């Protein structure tokens, strides 16, 4: 049947009606969603009636000079099945043109006015302009005037979408913007259900395949590419419009994704039959940009298009019709025009159709507006058109009404009705819980008032029995309460001071103004006394004596007269301060030298760092250690050593300033903190002064000795350091001074710390790991053949740090290489592997060869061969079950020694493989001399071997090289079936990688190994 495709396409286009309904009702506010849905249903009904009565006749009837049709009214009674199918297909187009305007005028156009607009659009404007461009589609000898000129609009970028957009533009210019759209800083809410709008867009997208694909009128070879072009334009329209919005606003707006998709669909509709997929993508991209720019233009002109219909359909439709001439295949267009002539005809058609649609639409809508109001009243717009137009309430409106009634009546006893299983019902339920809580709070308040009255009786007893002095004052400072402890502390009786001013009586004159300011700010200012914290102050007794006191202030507001009261809890802290001074002196002094100790120095340094620094303020810390002090103690005795330390303290005091802090750090270590006038030149001069002073001879126990000293100096900006860090840096610099020959100074440099940390921490932790149980372990990654049978294992070291967890070999092996630890680590791994192989052997499991990685140092060490012989004999393992992997880079160090070492290993039956082949050493002259058995292709070549020609050629070359040298070859890092297939085709036989197995524990390997035959 030659009309089956037309009917199928018509059904798909009909889905667009459902899509527009979902899209529009989801993107407007919920108070208008029912109205929009009603308009979408009704405009399709009216457009169907209009198109059947006379719209089809005007559009496709016998042409009157190419201007309008004059036949086929009341279509369908005497027409063929194909003609009726054609009518149904075109009817869906008419419905689409009519429904476009609904989104633009949403939330403010009356329902009756909208029906009149639908009648005009579907019964007059759309058929008239459609006749100009499409009349010949029904009868080839009946072309409209634009069609006769060669105008092409394949599926209606202009005829359907620009027509609908032009009438929508006329409508919004007449009815004006929504209330608050352009006269408020807060934008109107965008949508009440964006997921539904997204669903609508997908339905429209699906329907568009029929929209464009059905325009061939028959299912032919053009249909698949038309659908592909349609899809590509939609995708790129959505992507580009989203990118435009993200570029300027830095977030993804779902609205621009949806409208961008539609703009791409609209733009490709006119040309989808005559352009390539790549051109369709470009057309969609440009449509995305036009949509974004058009949306900004509409906002700048203050034209309120609620759903972006005009940029999406009018502007993108114009672009799509122009793109016919710019991109269309002229042989497919078959108009006989050159590209320039085609462009002229396209522009003429766009101008004629859009001017006719806008002018005719504007004039008729103006006329209708005189008799039928096109816009709802402001009150109805604010109320929502669901209610004002259709008397259709919602759960939310009912809830707001119930809450308003409660507010008006002042009755919060009864709960509001709860609509179950809805979001509004959940809100109502939560509101009822709030009301219940309010009632409970009122009840608790009454209970609290009764409790307060009882507590007032207890208050007097507490005041009278408190050991602290308690004084209450008002906002003017007048004394309200004065308990017995206060009477003893201040020397006044309560009746003598009540009503007098506390500040004038007990605060020193020099501090009275400051305390009054604090009181005026209710003790909440940044200076003076503060509420709810301990404040230190000096107060006066009746005798005139001054004593240190600690005051804690609390405040309360009393309900009746709203008077402010403040309660002072006052303690005499004279004894505590004396004790603190004594303890502080003991805690901060060195009993031997009289200098400050380590505790004071760190405390002082922390206080300096915490204060706001002056610009470019620097600190300097000198860390000094007396060279060979232990020898003096051992030779002359500890008393002489103590005398020497006191002499050092004297000399340091002599060469420093009073503002500098000198501290004995401990033993024979001293630290000087300098905080004024610090720069590099100053500290260098100061270091030389100290060294000169220390070099002067000192007489101890009848002997003259000097005091050589090593000094480390750390400099730092005050706001860029920490106390411990600065002292540590000076200590590190002192250590380097000792390493540099002693009796000198060194300025700290960051590489000193890096070197010390790396050499110490990693070396110590790795040494401990070698001695600890279960920190160093081995996992095994299987090697398989092309049948996935395991033919070997590679042993891989793992370090499980007790704090940091598993540490990658890439982190600790390079550091171990820098010391002799790599030899111990290598031996540890070999021992663990051979012990495991013996266990598998005793368990009667298949004897699979295991490969172990050797470092360069280990290969050329004198201990390797004796060790290997010993462990092979110890665990009774044949050498032919063992394989050592050596990286190419190892061979660069001493090729001749490497060859000798490998030959000795081969003599034990051990196989040698070159790991990471192709990335390092590449001399074929030496390669043929090496006693090796296996080449391992580096994973960097395997990664892209199936997709990058160069990597594939490298892999193939290595495989051929191995065959020519009669070596086995292993591909490591195989992760995809494409890599495996490529390597098999090139002749590789052994594979290793995550595609087969990740590194496994020994227990997991046991599950994979078969029993011995």
């Amino acid at each position: 049947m030659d009309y089956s495709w037309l009917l199928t396409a018509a059904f798909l286009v009909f889905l667009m009606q459902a899509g527009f309904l979902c899209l529009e009702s989801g993107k407007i506010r919920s108070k208008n969603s029912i109205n929009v849905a009603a308009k979408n249903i009704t405009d399709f009904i009216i457009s169907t009636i209009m198109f059947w009565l006379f719209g089809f006749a005007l559009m496709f009837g016998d042409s009157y000079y190419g201007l309008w049709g004059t036949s086929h009214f009341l279509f369908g009674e005497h027409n063929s099945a194909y003609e009726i199918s054609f009518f149904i297909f075109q009817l869906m187009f008419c419905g689409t043109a009519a429904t476009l305007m609904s989104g633009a005028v949403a939330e403010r156009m009356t329902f009756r006015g909208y029906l009149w607009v639908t009648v005009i659009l579907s019964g007059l404007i759309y058929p008239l302009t459609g006749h100009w461009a499409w009349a010949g589609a029904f009868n080839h000898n009946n072309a409209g005037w634009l069609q006769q000129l060669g105008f092409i609009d394949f599926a209606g970028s202009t005829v359907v979408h620009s027509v609908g957009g032009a009438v929508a533009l006329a409508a919004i210019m007449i009815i004006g913007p929504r209330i608050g759209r352009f006269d408020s800083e807060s934008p109107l809410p965008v949508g009440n259900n964006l997921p539904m709008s997204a669903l609508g867009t997908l339905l429209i997208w699906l329907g568009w395949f029929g929209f464009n694909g059905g325009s061939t009128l028959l299912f032919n070879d053009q249909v698949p590419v038309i659908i592909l072009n349609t899809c590509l334009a939609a995708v790129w329209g959505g992507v580009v419009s989203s990118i435009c919005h993200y570029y300027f606003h830095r977030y993804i707006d779902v609205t621009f994704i949806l409208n961008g998709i539609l703009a791409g669909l609209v733009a490709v509709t006119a040309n989808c039959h005559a352009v390539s997929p790549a051109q369709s993508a470009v057309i969609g991209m440009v449509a995305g940009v036009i949509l974004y720019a058009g949306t900004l233009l509409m906002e700048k002109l203050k034209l309120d298009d609620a759903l972006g219909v005009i940029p999406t359909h009018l502007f993108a439709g114009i672009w799509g019709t122009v793109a016919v001439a710019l991109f269309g295949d002229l042989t497919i267009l078959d108009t006989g025009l050159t590209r320039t002539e085609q462009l002229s005809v396209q522009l003429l058609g766009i101008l004629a159709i859009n001017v006719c649609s806008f002018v005719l639409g504007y004039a008729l809508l103006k006329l209708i507006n005189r008799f039928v109001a096109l816009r709802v009243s402001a009150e109805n717009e604010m109320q929502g058109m669901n209610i004002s137009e259709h008397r259709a309430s919602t759960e939310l409106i009912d809830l707001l009404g119930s809450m308003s009634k409660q507010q008006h009546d002042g009755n919060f006893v009864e709960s509001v009705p709860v609509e179950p299983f809805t979001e509004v019902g959940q809100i109502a339920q939560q509101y009822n819980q709030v009301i219940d809580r309010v009632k409970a709070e009122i009840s608790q308040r009454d209970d609290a008032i009764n409790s307060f009255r009882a507590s007032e009786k207890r208050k007097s007893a507490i005041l009278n029995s408190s050991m602290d002095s308690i004084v209450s004052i008002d906002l003017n400072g007048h004394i309200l309460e004065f308990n017995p402890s206060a009477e003893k502390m201040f020397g006044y009786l309560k009746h003598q001071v009540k009503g007098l001013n506390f500040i004038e009586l007990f605060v020193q004159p020099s501090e009275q103004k400051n305390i009054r300011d604090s009181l005026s700010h209710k003790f909440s200012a940044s200076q003076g006394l503060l509420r709810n914290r301990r404040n230190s102050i000096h107060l006066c007794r009746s005798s005139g004596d001054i004593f240190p006191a600690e005051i804690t202030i609390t405040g309360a507001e009393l309900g009746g007269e709203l008077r402010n009261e403040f309660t002072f809890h006052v303690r005499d802290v004279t004894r505590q301060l004396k004790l603190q001074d004594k303890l502080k002196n003991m805690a901060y002094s060195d009993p031997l030298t009289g200098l400050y100790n380590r505790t004071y120095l760190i405390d002082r340094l922390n206080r300096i760092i915490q204060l706001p620094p002056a610009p470019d303020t620097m600190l300097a810390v000198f860390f000094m250690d007396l060279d060979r002090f232990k020898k003096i103690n051992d030779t002359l005795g500890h008393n002489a050593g103590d005398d020497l330390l006191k002499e050092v303290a004297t000399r340091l005091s002599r060469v420093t300033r009073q503002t500098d802090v000198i501290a004995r750090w401990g033993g024979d270590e001293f630290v000087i903190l300098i905080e004024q006038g610090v720069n590099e030149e100053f500290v260098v001069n100061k270091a030389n002064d100290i060294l000169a002073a220390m070099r002067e001879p000192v007489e101890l126990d009848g002997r003259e000795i000097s005091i050589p000293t090593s000094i480390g100096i750390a400099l730092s900006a005050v706001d860029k350091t920490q106390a411990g860090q600065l002292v540590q840096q000076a200590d590190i610099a002192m250590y380097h001074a000792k390493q540099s020959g002693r009796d000198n100074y060194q300025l700290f440099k960051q590489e000193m710390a890096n070197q010390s940390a790396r050499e110490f921490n990693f070396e110590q932790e790795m040494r401990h790991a070698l001695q600890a149980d279960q920190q160093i372990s081995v996992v095994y990654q299987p090697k398989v053949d092309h049948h996935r049978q395991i033919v070997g294992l590679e042993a891989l070291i793992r370090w499980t740090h007790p704090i940091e967890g598993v540490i990658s070999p890439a982190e600790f092996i390079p550091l171990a290489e820098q010391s002799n630890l790599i030899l111990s680590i290598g031996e540890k791994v070999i021992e663990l592997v051979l012990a495991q192989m013996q266990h598998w052997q005793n368990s009667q499991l298949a004897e699979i060869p295991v490969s172990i990685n050797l470092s360069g140092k280990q290969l050329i060490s004198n201990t390797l061969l004796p060790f290997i012989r010993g462990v092979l004999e110890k665990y009774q393992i044949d050498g032919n079950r063992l394989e050592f992997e050596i990286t190419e880079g190892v061979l660069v160090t001493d090729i001749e020694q490497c060859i000798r070492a490998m030959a000795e290993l081969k003599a034990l039956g051990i196989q040698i493989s070159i790991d990471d082949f192709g990335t390092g050493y590449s001399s074929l002259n030496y390669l043929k001399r090496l006693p090796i058995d296996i080449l391992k292709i580096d994973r960097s070549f395997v990664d892209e071997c199936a997709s990058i020609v160069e990597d594939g050629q490298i892999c193939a070359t290595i495989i051929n090289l191995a065959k020519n040298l009669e070596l086995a070859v292993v591909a490591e890092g195989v992760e995809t079936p494409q890599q495996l297939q490529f390597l098999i085709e090139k002749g590789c036989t052994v594979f290793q990688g995550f595609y087969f197995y990740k590194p496994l524990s020994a227990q997991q390997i046991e599950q994979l190994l078969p029993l011995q035959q």
Side-chain angles (χ1 to χ4, degrees):
M1 295 185 295
D2 58 357
Y3 52 84
S4 59
W5 173 237
L6 263 183
L7 289 176
T8 302
F11 298 153
L12 287 174
V13 178
F14 183 69
L15 279 178
M16 295 173 67
Q17 294 296 324
F20 279 116
L21 191 149
C22 293
L23 172 66
E24 295 175 11
S25 59
K27 285 182 67 175
I28 51 86
R29 290 171 287 184
S30 58
K31 66 181 180 179
N32 300 307
S33 59
I34 296 174
N35 175 259
V36 168
K39 287 176 178 176
N40 274 268
I41 291 291
T42 306
D43 66 34
F44 184 75
I45 294 172
I46 291 177
S47 64
T48 300
I49 294 172
M50 293 294 101
F51 199 68
W52 176 70
L53 287 174
F54 47 81
F56 184 85
L58 288 175
M59 190 166 181
F60 295 103
D62 295 339
S63 181
Y64 179 75
Y65 296 106
L67 297 177
W68 59 79
T70 59
S71 62
H72 297 298
F73 294 94
L74 302 177
F75 188 87
E77 184 175 357
H78 302 293
N79 296 93
S80 67
Y82 174 80
E83 291 173 337
I84 293 175
S85 300
F86 180 86
F87 170 82
I88 294 172
F89 184 64
Q90 295 299 331
L91 171 63
M92 300 304 151
F93 275 46
C94 180
T96 301
T99 202
L100 293 179
M101 194 185 64
S102 174
V105 300
E107 302 196 304
R108 62 208 190 272
M109 178 173 272
T110 62
F111 192 74
R112 286 194 304 165
Y114 180 76
L115 297 185
W116 277 108
V117 177
T118 303
V119 169
I120 293 171
L121 180 59
S122 61
L124 178 60
I125 298 175
Y126 173 72
L128 180 63
T129 56
H131 182 84
W132 299 350
W134 283 359
F138 188 66
N139 182 351
H140 295 298
N141 299 318
N142 193 45
W145 70 273
L146 282 175
Q147 194 174 15
Q148 294 173 23
L149 294 175
F151 178 73
I152 300 294
D153 187 8
F154 179 68
S157 288
T158 294
V159 173
V160 177
H161 297 281
S162 289
V163 167
V167 176
L169 177 61
I172 65 173
M173 291 177 67
I174 292 172
I175 64 175
R178 290 166 290 176
I179 296 175
R181 175 64 178 89
F182 297 114
D183 55 3
S184 173
E185 294 183 0
S186 301
L188 294 178
V190 180
N192 69 92
N193 194 338
L194 286 180
M196 179 181 287
S197 295
L199 172 62
T201 302
L202 291 175
L203 289 174
I204 294 171
W205 197 341
L206 175 60
W208 221 291
F209 293 144
F211 198 90
N212 287 353
S215 293
T216 59
L217 304 182
L218 292 173
F219 191 88
N220 54 28
D221 292 342
Q222 284 186 299
V223 172
V225 73
I226 287 174
I227 293 176
L228 173 60
N229 291 344
T230 301
C231 190
L232 288 174
V235 168
W236 284 106
V239 168
V240 171
S241 63
S242 302
I243 291 174
C244 289
H245 186 274
Y246 182 83
Y247 179 81
F248 290 104
H249 301 280
R250 292 301 171 191
Y251 73 93
I252 297 297
D253 190 332
V254 178
T255 298
F256 278 94
I257 297 177
L258 304 183
N259 284 350
I261 290 171
L262 295 181
L265 291 170
V266 170
V268 82
T269 294
N271 49 68
C272 57
H273 68 303
V275 296
S276 67
Q279 291 171 331
S280 298
V282 173
I283 291 168
M285 293 178 189
V286 176
V289 175
I290 288 173
L291 165 71
Y292 184 78
T295 303
L296 296 183
L297 176 63
M298 295 291 289
E299 292 179 357
K300 184 176 181 180
L301 298 176
K302 294 189 176 182
L303 295 173
D304 184 12
D305 182 353
L307 268 67
V309 170
I310 293 164
T312 304
H313 296 274
L314 175 57
F315 297 166
I318 292 172
W319 155 242
T321 309
V322 171
V324 171
L326 298 180
F327 296 100
D329 186 333
L330 296 180
T331 59
I332 296 176
L333 298 180
D334 194 25
T335 60
L337 302 176
T338 65
R339 195 168 296 278
T340 303
E341 292 171 340
Q342 188 68 51
L343 178 61
S344 300
V345 171
Q346 296 299 110
L347 293 174
L348 175 62
I350 291 168
L351 181 64
I353 292 174
N354 282 288
V355 169
C356 176
S357 301
F358 177 78
V359 172
L360 193 56
Y362 190 89
L364 292 175
L365 291 180
K366 270 289 191 179
L367 179 63
I368 291 172
N369 195 34
R370 298 184 61 181
F371 303 99
V372 178
L374 293 180
R375 179 161 184 156
V376 297
S377 66
E379 180 181 357
N380 288 343
E381 184 177 345
M382 296 298 294
Q383 184 183 31
M385 297 171 69
N386 292 347
I387 295 177
S388 65
E389 292 279 290
H390 308 288
R391 303 296 186 266
S393 184
T394 63
E395 301 99 329
L396 180 61
I397 292 173
D398 293 339
L399 172 62
L400 294 175
S402 299
M403 295 168 66
S404 178
K405 186 175 184 302
Q406 280 190 340
Q407 178 186 9
H408 181 269
D409 297 342
N411 179 13
F412 297 96
V413 176
E414 296 183 0
S415 302
V416 298
V418 176
E419 183 72 25
F421 311 117
T422 65
E423 292 182 357
V424 175
Q426 293 177 357
I427 296 172
Q429 187 176 21
Q430 187 66 37
Y431 175 76
N432 287 336
Q433 293 175 2
V434 172
I435 293 299
D436 292 340
R437 180 62 184 269
V438 170
K439 291 188 288 188
E441 291 292 337
I442 292 174
S443 176
Q444 292 178 7
R445 184 193 64 181
D446 294 339
D447 294 340
I449 291 174
N450 294 331
S451 298
F452 174 75
R453 290 170 180 165
S455 69
E456 284 296 301
K457 296 179 180 179
R458 295 190 290 271
K459 178 181 175 182
S460 297
I462 294 172
L463 285 173
N464 293 333
S465 62
S466 175
M467 298 296 292
D468 286 345
S469 297
I470 299 177
V471 181
S472 294
I473 65 171
D474 61 18
L475 192 56
N476 295 316
H478 298 139
I479 298 173
L480 304 175
E481 292 289 346
F482 203 78
N483 76 339
S485 293
E487 293 177 339
K488 296 177 183 178
M489 178 181 289
F490 291 103
Y492 287 104
L493 296 176
K494 178 178 179 179
H495 72 272
Q496 293 177 304
V497 297
K498 189 171 183 179
L500 298 180
N501 191 284
F502 178 88
I503 298 173
E504 294 176 358
L505 276 178
F506 303 122
V507 177
Q508 296 182 83
S510 60
E511 297 186 21
Q512 287 183 7
K513 181 180 184 304
N514 191 23
I515 303 304
R516 285 195 182 94
D517 291 341
S518 297
L519 177 59
S520 66
H521 290 91
K522 300 182 180 181
F523 300 109
S524 60
S526 59
Q527 296 181 345
L529 303 180
L530 294 175
R531 276 186 294 170
N532 302 318
R533 63 174 290 181
R534 295 179 178 180
N535 301 272
S536 297
I537 191 173
H538 285 78
L539 299 176
C540 305
R541 306 186 198 275
S542 61
S543 60
D545 294 338
I546 307 298
F547 67 97
E550 182 181 87
I551 297 181
T552 302
I553 305 171
T554 58
E557 290 187 353
L558 303 180
E561 301 176 3
L562 294 177
R563 291 174 56 199
N564 287 279
E565 284 189 9
F566 300 97
T567 301
F568 293 171
H569 298 257
V570 187
R571 287 186 180 180
D572 185 342
V573 293
T574 303
R575 292 181 60 190
Q576 289 91 323
L577 291 180
K578 288 181 179 179
L579 179 61
Q580 286 177 9
D581 289 340
K582 184 175 180 181
L583 292 174
K584 185 175 181 181
N585 184 57
M586 293 173 61
Y588 284 166
S589 295
D590 174 51
L592 176 63
T593 62
L595 300 175
Y596 291 115
N597 62 9
R598 178 190 302 202
T599 303
Y600 177 82
L601 181 98
I602 293 297
D603 182 67
R604 174 63 179 166
L605 190 52
N606 279 324
R607 280 187 279 121
I608 293 172
I609 292 171
Q610 291 169 3
L611 291 174
D616 301 324
T617 303
M618 300 287 290
L619 287 176
V621 170
F622 289 61
F623 199 105
M624 300 181 298
D625 182 85
L626 306 184
D627 297 330
R628 300 183 180 87
F629 177 75
K630 184 176 184 301
K631 186 174 182 180
I632 295 174
N633 264 344
D634 295 341
T635 304
L636 303 180
H638 289 282
N639 288 335
D642 290 346
D643 290 341
L644 178 60
L645 293 175
K646 287 187 279 188
E647 176 63 21
V648 169
T650 301
R651 294 187 181 187
L652 290 179
S653 300
R654 190 170 66 237
V655 295
T656 55
R657 303 169 299 184
Q658 291 184 347
T659 56
D660 302 333
V661 176
I662 311 171
R664 183 184 174 200
W665 191 254
D668 61 334
E669 295 175 332
F670 295 83
V671 177
I672 300 176
L673 170 63
I674 303 177
E675 57 178 299
Q676 294 182 6
V678 175
N679 56 49
E680 187 168 338
E681 181 183 0
F682 174 83
V683 299
V684 167
N685 293 334
K686 183 60 65 178
N688 288 321
D689 291 344
I690 294 172
L691 290 174
M694 294 296 108
R695 289 165 184 159
E696 295 177 6
V698 58
E699 185 174 334
L700 287 177
D701 197 20
R703 301 185 185 183
E704 270 196 2
I705 63 172
S706 61
I707 317 173
T709 306
S710 297
I711 305 175
I713 307 171
L715 280 170
S716 177
V718 174
D719 58 347
K720 295 181 179 179
T721 189
Q722 297 177 351
Q725 180 186 32
L726 197 58
V727 174
Q728 182 185 24
Q729 290 173 350
D731 189 11
I732 292 171
M734 183 273 294
Y735 173 75
H736 281 265
K738 284 186 176 293
Q739 286 185 324
S740 300
R742 305 175 184 269
D743 195 25
N744 69 93
Y745 69 88
Q746 293 290 328
L747 289 171
F748 173 78
K749 298 177 182 178
Q750 184 58 45
E751 50 264 31
M752 295 179 180
N754 297 340
Q755 179 182 351
S756 298
R758 181 172 64 183
E759 291 177 354
F760 180 79
N761 294 336
F762 272 97
E763 184 173 347
Q764 297 305 316
E765 291 178 354
M766 283 190 284
R767 289 185 189 279
H768 178 73
L770 289 170
Q771 302 300 321
D773 292 331
Q774 298 181 350
Q775 281 201 38
I776 301 297
S777 61
V778 177
V779 295
Y780 301 85
Q781 187 172 29
K783 304 174 185 176
V784 301
D785 60 19
H786 65 280
H787 297 299
R788 295 179 178 260
Q789 297 297 315
I790 297 177
V791 296
L793 302 171
E794 181 180 1
L796 302 169
I797 186 173
R798 293 293 184 266
W799 178 14
T800 305
H801 193 279
I803 298 176
E804 299 182 17
V806 177
I807 299 178
S808 169
E811 294 183 39
F812 68 86
I813 291 298
L815 294 177
E817 287 276 3
Q818 298 175 14
S819 67
N820 289 328
L821 277 177
I822 192 64
L823 302 178
S824 300
I825 290 175
E827 292 179 355
K828 176 82 170 182
V829 172
I830 294 172
E831 186 104 21
L832 290 173
V833 171
L834 291 183
Q836 185 61 54
M837 293 175 69
Q838 184 188 53
H839 171 73
W840 289 337
Q841 182 174 277
N842 295 338
S843 300
Q844 301 298 311
L845 296 177
E847 296 181 355
I848 302 296
V850 179
S851 64
I852 303 172
N853 292 281
L854 277 187
S855 74
K857 285 187 177 181
Q858 198 170 8
L859 178 63
I860 61 177
S861 70
N862 296 327
T863 61
L864 177 64
L865 266 299
F867 175 78
I868 295 298
R869 293 190 185 99
V871 292
L872 288 176
E873 182 178 353
K874 175 181 177 181
Y875 294 103
Q876 296 298 301
I877 301 297
D878 291 335
N880 58 14
R881 293 179 55 197
L882 205 59
E883 174 189 328
F884 283 144
E885 295 188 8
I886 303 167
T887 60
E888 280 189 85
V890 170
L891 306 176
V892 178
T893 55
D894 188 341
I895 185 66
E896 298 300 333
Q897 188 175 356
C898 289
I899 291 174
R900 287 195 297 271
M902 287 190 284
E904 291 176 347
L905 291 173
K906 289 277 291 180
L908 297 175
I910 299 172
Q911 290 192 317
I912 307 295
S913 70
I914 301 299
D915 195 12
D916 300 334
F917 186 75
T919 62
Y921 197 68
S922 58
S923 172
L924 297 180
N925 181 43
Y926 283 123
L927 182 62
K928 66 182 182 180
R929 296 178 52 204
L930 295 174
I932 60 176
D933 306 281
I934 302 165
L935 293 182
K936 293 191 73 175
I937 305 174
D938 184 69
R939 67 178 64 247
S940 63
F941 303 123
V942 174
D943 283 344
E944 305 288 349
C945 69
S947 56
I948 295 181
V949 174
E950 291 81 0
D951 286 1
Q953 291 175 344
I954 291 173
C955 291
T957 301
I958 295 173
I959 294 169
N960 290 330
L961 176 64
K963 288 181 179 179
N964 293 333
L965 295 175
E966 297 182 348
L967 302 176
V969 63
V970 178
E972 61 180 353
V974 179
E975 296 183 358
T976 68
Q978 293 80 7
Q979 295 169 352
L980 175 62
Q981 184 61 36
F982 176 88
L983 293 167
I984 291 175
E985 292 174 359
K986 297 302 178 182
C988 186
T989 57
V990 181
F991 313 92
Q992 181 180 359
F994 284 7
Y995 182 68
F996 307 101
Y997 297 98
K998 293 183 178 181
L1000 304 173
S1001 66
Q1003 292 76 18
Q1004 292 172 313
I1005 291 294
E1006 289 180 5
Q1007 305 300 318
L1008 301 176
L1009 296 179
L1011 294 173
Q1012 295 180 9
Q1013 298 295 329

